[in-house]
Amino acid sequence: MLIQKSNDIKSAVITPKEFYLNRRQFMLSASAAALATGAALSGLDWTGGTPEVLAGEKLGNVKKSSFSTAEKQNSFKDITSYNNFYELGTDKEDPATNARYLTTRPWTVSVEGEVRKPKTYDIDALVKLSPLEERVYRMRCVEAWSMVIPWLGFPLSSLIKLAEPTGNAKFIQFVTLLDPKRMPGQKLPIMEWPYVEGLRMDEAMHPLTILSVGLYGEILPAQNGAPIRLVVPWKYGFKSIKSIVKIRFVEKQPPASWNRMQPQEYGFYSNVNPEVDHPRWTQATERRIGEFLRRKTLKFNGYGDQVAQLYSGMDLKKFY
Ligand SMILES: Nc1nc2c(c(=O)[nH]1)N[C@H]1C(S)=C(S)[C@@H](COP(=O)(O)O)O[C@H]1N2
Ligand SMILES: [Mo]
């Protein structure tokens, strides 16, 4: 499959060798050197873990949404066996294999910072906060592959409205669970843990931005970010942070994991943009998982009609 080879970025978003090039990572731990030799996950004990008792549970009462694409959906198998989730391993197959570690009850999400109504939500209350909708979205990973995924979720804006942001709330920071027992990948210094992400307030309020708690009519599998994850379909996949425990309203642009680690390669905005190549590969085309020929990548992942105005007047080559 020669045509695919040059653009098919294997496995991780960055490769172990590149940890060497990164000052910040280098300082994280002396074991970064061991990691770069390829020892990566072999030093970890990946036995044990608890079966995820909730996996497969159906979520009822789901509305269809006019925001959904009619494109052919990827299979449940594709969506749940080809994942990026470094807390459960760096290879695409790892998160499904290691899903049993990530138990999701009890689980709380704390909404805090620049809000009038800070609150810690129990996950089961949060799922019932707003009617669940099915949103079939195109998802485009920064590594130039894509899928069509029928998410179940609700607009992030419903939660934001309940929190009553103050005038100082200009951005929202999202934080993943920090617990190396349930997320054994966190025992490795491959990134600064926990994984964090951020959105500007208007991006967070946009009707396309959802919190997802399921897919294909079922409760979210661990490997897809159970029990609750962000989904922002016009941005590269890494903005869609998984397994969230904290949503913090802040005044200044918050750190975002990939941007912090490799700012010359991953911007804070990370809007899908075929005109701005990644320094090491093209973003002009993509491989839809399950298809042979590459597709042309669409600006804002095809959601430009809805979101382009958020960035009017901004140089998207500079703010990539
Ligand atoms: N906490 C956390 N969230 C994460 C990641 C991660 O490693 N950790 N990977 C991101 C990347 S790079 C992608 S492409 C998407 C993949 O989501 P999916 O496996 O549900 O398709 O999750 C994003 N969210
Ligand atoms: Mo990604």
Side-chain angles (χ1 to χ4, degrees):
M1 287 203 273
L2 237 138
I3 27 167
Q4 281 189 18
K5 199 105 197 175
S6 61
N7 285 321
D8 205 353
I9 313 306
K10 206 184 161 277
S11 186
V13 177
I14 57 171
T15 61
K17 256 205 201 89
E18 282 151 339
F19 294 129
Y20 265 129
L21 304 172
N22 190 294
R23 185 180 41 87
R24 188 165 192 129
Q25 283 305 309
F26 201 74
M27 293 187 308
L28 259 178
S29 158
S31 53
L35 202 73
T37 67
L41 292 165
S42 56
L44 276 186
D45 180 9
W46 286 91
T47 57
T50 319
E52 177 52 81
V53 284
L54 295 164
E57 194 174 290
K58 296 267 182 287
L59 286 168
N61 259 336
V62 177
K63 300 193 295 186
K64 301 272 176 199
S65 163
S66 56
F67 290 110
S68 290
T69 171
E71 278 167 81
K72 184 174 185 286
Q73 297 168 23
N74 278 89
S75 67
F76 184 80
K77 183 147 201 293
D78 282 347
I79 297 168
T80 59
S81 61
Y82 189 85
N83 302 101
N84 268 343
F85 196 178
Y86 278 16
E87 290 89 334
L88 296 178
T90 50
D91 285 341
K92 297 283 179 276
E93 310 74 39
D94 288 342
T97 309
N98 299 320
R100 66 184 182 281
Y101 285 92
L102 180 53
T103 51
T104 56
R105 297 295 187 284
W107 191 284
T108 57
V109 178
S110 91
V111 176
E112 54 184 58
E114 289 291 343
V115 290
R116 284 185 197 90
K117 302 263 167 68
K119 185 173 169 155
T120 298
Y121 291 88
D122 182 76
I123 186 64
D124 294 306
L126 198 49
V127 171
K128 291 182 203 114
L129 182 106
S130 184
L132 292 186
E133 294 174 30
E134 183 184 71
R135 297 282 186 102
V136 186
Y137 281 164
R138 283 183 295 279
M139 302 299 290
R140 170 60 157 78
C141 178
V142 74
E143 297 161 83
W145 49 268
S146 62
M147 291 199 213
V148 175
I149 304 184
W151 299 111
L152 300 184
F154 58 86
L156 174 61
S157 64
S158 355
L159 185 60
I160 296 175
K161 283 172 197 155
L162 282 178
E164 296 181 19
T166 70
N168 293 333
K170 302 284 194 286
F171 293 87
I172 302 185
Q173 173 169 47
F174 302 85
V175 184
T176 293
L177 174 73
L178 179 65
D179 182 354
K181 283 209 184 68
R182 287 190 280 171
M183 297 189 153
Q186 291 176 339
K187 293 175 188 164
L188 297 170
I190 49 179
M191 343 181 90
E192 232 176 276
W193 305 113
Y195 195 102
V196 289
E197 258 306 337
L199 292 175
R200 214 170 57 187
M201 210 45 193
D202 56 347
E203 299 177 319
M205 282 298 292
H206 194 280
L208 282 172
T209 304
I210 59 167
L211 286 169
S212 173
V213 296
L215 59 84
Y216 265 117
E218 293 181 7
I219 204 160
L220 205 57
Q223 58 268 38
N224 293 93
I228 189 161
R229 57 90 59 86
L230 188 68
V231 176
V232 193
W234 71 94
K235 292 178 180 281
Y236 292 123
F238 62 87
K239 297 294 288 182
S240 293
I241 181 175
K242 296 176 170 180
S243 305
I244 297 168
V245 293
K246 211 168 275 192
I247 299 178
R248 188 184 296 134
F249 292 70
V250 294
E251 186 159 12
K252 303 230 164 65
Q253 184 179 298
S257 282
W258 286 99
N259 174 235
R260 173 168 70 185
M261 187 153 67
Q262 299 275 56
Q264 66 289 4
E265 301 200 352
Y266 310 104
F268 175 81
Y269 285 93
S270 289
N271 294 317
V272 174
N273 192 344
E275 295 150 28
V276 180
D277 283 340
H278 183 279
R280 292 183 283 123
W281 60 83
T282 180
Q283 295 291 21
T285 61
E286 67 198 53
R287 187 169 67 92
R288 177 72 49 90
I289 299 300
E291 290 180 357
F292 178 69
L293 295 173
R294 296 182 72 87
R295 291 171 170 252
K296 280 208 158 101
T297 288
L298 303 170
K299 197 159 184 181
F300 298 113
N301 202 24
Y303 296 98
D305 287 351
Q306 287 111 295
V307 302
Q309 87 284 351
L310 296 175
Y311 309 102
S312 62
M314 272 175 77
D315 178 357
L316 294 177
K317 291 209 161 70
K318 188 164 169 232
F319 297 99
Y320 56 88

